[in-house]
Amino acid sequence: MTNIEYLTSYVNHFVETIKQAGIQDVVMCPGSRSTPLAYAFAKSGCFQFYRQIDERSAGYFALGIAKAKKAPVVLLCTSGTAAANFFPAIVEAFYARVPLLVVTADRPHELREVGAPQAIDQLHLFGKHVKWTVDFPIPEKDDANLAFVERHILRAVSTSKAFPMGPVHINVPFREPLLLDMEKSSPTVNMHAPEIGKLVPSEEFLAWYNDILQNETKGIIIVGDSLQATEGFWEFAKMVQWPVLVDPLSNLRTSIPVDCLDLCIDQYDAILKNDAFQKVAAPNIVIRFGAQPVSKPLMLYLKALKPEIYIVVDESPIYRDSLHIATHHVQVEAQSLWIKTVEKSASTYLDSWSKANRIATNHVNSYIQKETDEGALAGVLFDTLPDKSFLFASSSMPIRDLDTFFNKTNKNIQLYANRGTNGIDGVVSTALGTQAALNRPGYLLIGDLAFLHDLNGLIVSRFHRCDMTIIVMNNDGGGIFSYLPQSTETNYFEHLFGTPTGLEFSHIAAMYNAQYNAVHTKEDFKEALAGEKSKDIRLIEVFTNRQVNTETHRKLWADISKELDSVWKV
C-alpha cells in the first residue's frame, strides 16, 4: 500500500465520518498542510463548502453559520499561526455556547520542536476555550488508525453538541507528500453517530413549579439569549399571565401572537431606571430562561431586590448567575418547563407592567419620529425591516439601541449578536455567516470602529453569493465610552477612548464592488433603506455625532421617568 493510498483512505474516512455525524457545512482556509482534507471535503460533494482566505474572519464566519443553525460547523486551516488566528472566534463560541469542529492540520511529530518552518506547538493550542481537544495519529498503513478516526470524530461532534454546546479541536498531522487518489470512492463507516438524550425535570420539581405558576400573581419571566427553541413559549406565558421581560436576542420580541402582545415587556430597560416603578414592579418570584439579558438596569434592579425565589433554567450545569442571587439552578431544557397549567386572568400586577411598558413605548416611538441621533435612526431601521429578514447587531451601542428601540412585533424577523464575550471583533464575518445559513435578507447594524476591526470579512463576498445590507453608524470613534465614567476626564478621554480616525468607507465599498450610500440626514437614511438593492453587499454609511447621541438618549430616559413618576410616585 503506497503513501497516496493510505493517506487517501485516511482522509476519506475522516470526511465520511463527519458526513455520517450529520455535519453539513465546512469553512476552509487555503494552506499547504491541510491539502489532503481540503481536497477530500471538496470532492465529497456532500457539504456546503465555504472559502475564506483570512483565518480570523473565517472563524467568525463559521461561528455565524453555527449560531444560526445551532449545529456544528467544520472550520479547517493549515498549520502554524493560521490556527492561532482562529482563537478569537473560538473564545466567542465557547462563551456563547456555539458548536464548532475546529480542524487544524499540523506538521508530523518529527518536525515539532526542531525549528521546522510553519510549525508551532498546536497541542492544546486553544487551552480551556475548547470543550475537548485531540491530536490525531499520522496517516499510516494501520486499520486501527481508521477506527480511531471514526470514534474520535464522533466523540468530538457529540461533545460539541452536548450541553453546554461549544467548540472542540482536532489536530491532524500529515507527512509529505500530500497528494490523494482523487478517484478513490468513499469508504463505509462502521460506527453510528451517538444518540444524545434530553434533560427533563423530576416529578417532584414539576409539582412544586406548577404550584408556583398557578398560585402566584407577582412573578416575572425573563427570557435571554441562547434558547435552543422557542416553539410553545407564548402558549405557556398566556396561561401563566406574568409579565415577560424579553431580551431582543431571545427572538421572542418577534412573531408574537396578537393575544400575547400585552404580556411582552420590551421596554424594561427604560422603565426600571425609575425608582417609583421599581417599587410597584417588585416580584415575589423570578424565572429566567436563557442567558443574562443585555440590560444593565434590569441586572442592577435584580441585584438590589434579591428575589425570595429566583429560578435560572439552563441546559448546562454551569451557573450563569453573575449576580449571585439565584436560589434554584434547574438543569433541564427550557421547553420542558413550558407546561400546561390552569389559565389565569390578568392581574393588577401585570397591568402595571403593561401600562409602564406602553408609556415607555409611546416615548420611544415619538423619539424615533422627532430625533435624528443614532438611536432614532436605529429605530427607523428596525421599523422598516422586511418580514422574513434578520438583523445582526454589533456590540457596544448597536446592541443597546436594539434593546431600546426594537419594539415587539408580529413580523418574522430574527435577531442576532455576539454576546459570548461582547467583543466588537469579527462582527462583519459572523453576520455574513449567519446570512449564509439563514438564506434570508440580512441587515448588519455596526459602528465605525467595529467595522474597521473586520473589513477582511468582506472578502468572503468575492467567493459566495450573499444578501447583506450593512449600516455603519460612523460617529468617528467609540460611542459607547461616552456613557461611561471615564468620559468625565476631558483632558485625555478623546485621545484614549474616543479614538477618532477621520475615516469614511466609500473606497472600501468600491473595492468590494458594494452598493454605497452616504447618509447625513434622516430623510436620506429612509430613502437609502427604501431604495432598490442592486448588489450582494449594500453599504449605508450614516454620519452621526457622538455627543448629540449621548445627550438625546439621556433626555429620552428622563422623559420616560418623569411620566412614570406622575403615575406611581407618592
Side-chain angles (χ1 to χ4, degrees), residues 113-294:
E113 304 289 341
V114 293
Q118 208 170 340
I120 67 173
D121 184 358
Q122 294 180 199
L123 306 185
H124 302 282
L125 177 63
F126 307 114
K128 293 183 178 180
H129 293 95
V130 290
K131 295 181 64 180
W132 184 59
T133 186
V134 58
D135 190 33
F136 268 31
I138 288 282
E140 293 176 325
K141 187 180 177 181
D142 186 348
D143 289 341
N145 271 4
L146 301 184
F148 181 98
V149 166
E150 280 187 22
R151 283 152 179 77
H152 283 71
I153 286 176
L154 292 175
R155 176 181 173 183
V157 174
S158 179
T159 301
S160 74
K161 293 165 65 176
F163 296 122
M165 295 196 296
V168 296
H169 176 211
I170 299 176
N171 193 61
V172 190
F174 293 111
R175 286 194 184 102
E176 293 180 334
L178 303 171
L179 297 178
L180 304 181
D181 178 358
M182 300 297 284
E183 303 303 318
K184 188 170 183 179
S185 60
S186 298
T188 300
V189 174
N190 297 317
M191 190 78 178
H192 292 278
E195 184 72 23
I196 300 176
K198 293 184 177 295
L199 291 167
V200 296
S202 67
E203 291 185 4
E204 293 79 5
F205 176 81
L206 279 177
W208 175 76
Y209 176 73
N210 190 52
D211 182 65
I212 287 174
L213 297 179
Q214 289 194 27
N215 296 309
E216 181 59 63
T217 57
K218 295 185 69 174
I220 62 172
I221 297 172
I222 300 172
V223 192
D225 189 9
S226 71
L227 292 180
Q228 291 305 300
T230 57
E231 294 84 2
F233 174 80
W234 285 114
E235 290 85 349
F236 161 71
K238 187 166 62 172
M239 289 185 285
V240 177
Q241 289 291 309
W242 289 357
V244 183
L245 282 57
V246 181
D247 184 278
L249 300 181
S250 68
N251 278 307
L252 284 169
R253 281 196 195 179
T254 62
S255 302
I256 304 174
V258 174
D259 57 353
C260 293
L261 284 169
D262 284 343
L263 295 172
C264 179
I265 308 299
D266 55 353
Q267 295 296 336
Y268 53 85
D269 183 82
I271 61 181
L272 286 176
K273 289 182 171 77
N274 179 264
D275 292 340
F277 181 71
Q278 284 185 10
K279 296 174 183 178
V280 173
N284 296 327
I285 297 171
V286 176
I287 302 174
R288 194 189 87 206
F289 299 101
Q292 178 173 296
V294 171

Side-chain angles (χ1 to χ4, degrees), residues 174-484:
F174 293 111
R175 286 194 184 102
E176 293 180 334
L178 303 171
L179 297 178
L180 304 181
D181 178 358
M182 300 297 284
E183 303 303 318
K184 188 170 183 179
S185 60
S186 298
T188 300
V189 174
N190 297 317
M191 190 78 178
H192 292 278
E195 184 72 23
I196 300 176
K198 293 184 177 295
L199 291 167
V200 296
S202 67
E203 291 185 4
E204 293 79 5
F205 176 81
L206 279 177
W208 175 76
Y209 176 73
N210 190 52
D211 182 65
I212 287 174
L213 297 179
Q214 289 194 27
N215 296 309
E216 181 59 63
T217 57
K218 295 185 69 174
I220 62 172
I221 297 172
I222 300 172
V223 192
D225 189 9
S226 71
L227 292 180
Q228 291 305 300
T230 57
E231 294 84 2
F233 174 80
W234 285 114
E235 290 85 349
F236 161 71
K238 187 166 62 172
M239 289 185 285
V240 177
Q241 289 291 309
W242 289 357
V244 183
L245 282 57
V246 181
D247 184 278
L249 300 181
S250 68
N251 278 307
L252 284 169
R253 281 196 195 179
T254 62
S255 302
I256 304 174
V258 174
D259 57 353
C260 293
L261 284 169
D262 284 343
L263 295 172
C264 179
I265 308 299
D266 55 353
Q267 295 296 336
Y268 53 85
D269 183 82
I271 61 181
L272 286 176
K273 289 182 171 77
N274 179 264
D275 292 340
F277 181 71
Q278 284 185 10
K279 296 174 183 178
V280 173
N284 296 327
I285 297 171
V286 176
I287 302 174
R288 194 189 87 206
F289 299 101
Q292 178 173 296
V294 171
S295 171
K296 188 173 182 178
L298 172 59
M299 294 301 100
L300 292 175
Y301 177 61
L302 293 173
K303 184 177 182 179
L305 186 67
K306 291 186 174 63
E308 184 177 343
I309 297 177
Y310 186 175
I311 302 169
V312 174
V313 181
D314 200 320
E315 296 93 341
S316 165
I318 298 171
Y319 281 29
R320 288 194 288 191
D321 176 30
S322 62
L323 303 178
H324 308 294
I325 59 173
T327 60
H328 297 72
H329 178 89
V330 186
Q331 189 188 347
V332 299
E333 295 179 30
Q335 284 181 297
S336 68
L337 294 183
W338 299 343
I339 61 177
K340 291 185 178 180
T341 185
V342 177
E343 185 169 344
K344 298 184 295 188
S345 301
S347 63
T348 55
Y349 180 71
L350 172 61
D351 290 341
S352 295
W353 274 93
S354 298
K355 183 175 182 178
N357 200 72
R358 286 192 295 272
I359 289 171
T361 300
N362 289 338
H363 281 277
V364 165
N365 288 338
S366 176
Y367 182 96
I368 293 170
Q369 293 296 319
K370 294 177 181 178
E371 299 294 343
T372 58
D373 72 317
E374 285 183 24
L377 294 169
V380 169
L381 168 64
F382 304 150
D383 286 345
T384 57
L385 288 174
D387 196 39
K388 297 182 180 178
S389 64
F390 84 92
L391 175 85
F392 202 100
S394 179
S395 291
S396 296
M397 283 311 300
I399 186 63
R400 286 164 176 81
D401 283 339
L402 183 69
D403 200 16
T404 300
F405 297 104
F406 190 95
N407 291 324
K408 55 191 175 183
T409 177
N410 54 20
K411 285 199 290 188
N412 179 1
I413 299 169
Q414 292 178 278
L415 306 174
Y416 295 91
N418 283 342
R419 299 301 291 173
T421 58
N422 303 352
I424 64 168
D425 47 345
V427 175
V428 174
S429 297
T430 314
L432 288 168
T434 304
Q435 198 280 320
L438 295 176
N439 195 27
R440 57 166 68 189
Y443 292 77
L444 168 61
L445 179 63
I446 191 169
D448 54 306
L449 294 187
F451 190 55
L452 282 168
H453 260 277
D454 195 27
L455 287 177
N456 278 1
L458 293 171
I459 296 171
V460 80
S461 68
R462 310 305 296 163
F463 303 130
H464 309 287
R465 293 297 305 273
C466 54
D467 184 357
M468 180 67 69
T469 296
I470 302 174
I471 296 94
V472 179
M473 292 292 184
N474 191 343
N475 56 29
D476 197 21
I480 188 65
F481 296 112
S482 298
Y483 294 85
L484 302 179

